[in-house]
Amino acid sequence: MAAIIGRKLGMTQIFTEDGIRVAVTVVEAGPCPVTQVKTEETDGYQAVQLGFGAVRPKLLNKPELGHLRKADSPPVRHLHEFSVDELREGLELGDIVTVEDFSSGDVVSVTGTSKGKGYAGTIKRHNFKRGPKSHGSHNVRRPGSIGAAAWPARVAKGIRMSGHMGAETVTQRGLQIVDRDVSRNLLLVRGAVPGGVNGIVIVRPQ
């Protein structure tokens, strides 16, 4: 079992031994120091917190620096908590999680923040059908009926309408680790993962 925090670097392609081209996403994963170990006695549940993304100390506030100093961890930008079932056993403060915990063929789930699309209408955001374009129609890209008339005389909550699109937490399941580069902390994941280039992603076991 392995889980790690990483950064999406982009997509490329590789060729297998039998000449098949495979599209892969390159993820810079780790090294991730263990910044906190939560137990039933102290926190009421078991979990392990990992850090990622070395930064200068001046870019963190005092509470963050104090939290990392307790774990004897270098200053890191991103923290994420994993259940003990997602990581190898026996992790303690100061341990480092790297891509060595992964192997080719592992099936993982990758969580990231999807690309933001800004304000979008119902056709782009929810795949609504468009109206007729002929006979003087003025309802070409507008939504249809969104509420009742006499009763309840209001628009119900949850109606799909235009608004901000994207920039949501998305998890892509069933991805496969094709290869790894331990010296450069890289994971090659088959297919596309959520988010844009340089976006933070969470890789965890399927």
Side-chain angles (χ1 to χ4, degrees), residues 138-159:
H138 296 285
N139 190 23
V140 179
R141 289 183 67 90
R142 297 176 185 174
S145 175
I146 60 173
W151 186 89
R154 59 181 175 81
V155 177
K157 292 182 179 180
I159 294 296

Side-chain angles (χ1 to χ4, degrees), residues 2 14 24-27 29 98-106 176-189:
I14 62 174
V24 297
T25 300
V26 183
V27 177
T98 67
V99 296
E100 293 186 73
D101 293 337
F102 294 84
S103 58
S104 299
D106 288 350
Q176 186 181 39
I177 302 295
V178 178
D179 200 359
R180 65 178 187 176
D181 188 336
V182 177
S183 62
R184 294 191 290 175
N185 301 312
L186 299 180
L187 286 177
L188 300 184
V189 183

Side-chain angles (χ1 to χ4, degrees), residues 66-77:
H67 174 70
L68 296 173
R69 196 175 294 117
K70 287 182 181 179
D72 197 21
S73 169
V76 290
R77 170 66 69 188

Side-chain angles (χ1 to χ4, degrees), residues 6-115:
R7 176 180 288 106
K8 178 179 176 179
L9 299 183
M11 293 194 68
T12 184
Q13 60 186 13
I14 62 174
F15 291 87
T16 61
E17 294 180 357
D18 51 358
I20 298 176
R21 184 179 63 177
V22 178
V24 297
T25 300
V26 183
V27 177
E28 180 189 2
C32 294
V34 176
T35 56
Q36 187 177 9
V37 177
K38 296 188 176 182
T39 62
E40 292 281 355
E41 294 75 17
T42 58
D43 302 279
Y45 66 101
Q46 291 182 317
V48 177
Q49 185 186 81
L50 301 182
F52 173 74
V55 294
R56 291 174 294 168
K58 65 178 295 184
L59 297 180
L60 300 179
N61 57 36
K62 289 184 178 180
E64 292 171 332
L65 290 173
H67 174 70
L68 296 173
R69 196 175 294 117
K70 287 182 181 179
D72 197 21
S73 169
V76 290
R77 170 66 69 188
H78 306 282
L79 300 175
H80 192 82
E81 191 174 287
F82 299 90
S83 69
V84 293
D85 297 333
E86 296 174 328
L87 297 166
R88 69 173 187 265
E89 296 182 0
L91 285 177
E92 299 178 353
L93 288 179
D95 290 347
I96 305 295
V97 177
T98 67
V99 296
E100 293 186 73
D101 293 337
F102 294 84
S103 58
S104 299
D106 288 350
V107 179
V108 297
S109 296
V110 180
T111 301
T113 303
S114 62
K115 292 182 180 179

Side-chain angles (χ1 to χ4, degrees), residues 160-182:
R160 295 179 297 169
M161 301 181 71
S162 59
H164 187 85
M165 181 179 176
E168 298 175 338
T169 300
V170 178
T171 299
Q172 184 67 42
R173 304 181 186 276
L175 299 176
Q176 186 181 39
I177 302 295
V178 178
D179 200 359
R180 65 178 187 176
D181 188 336
V182 177

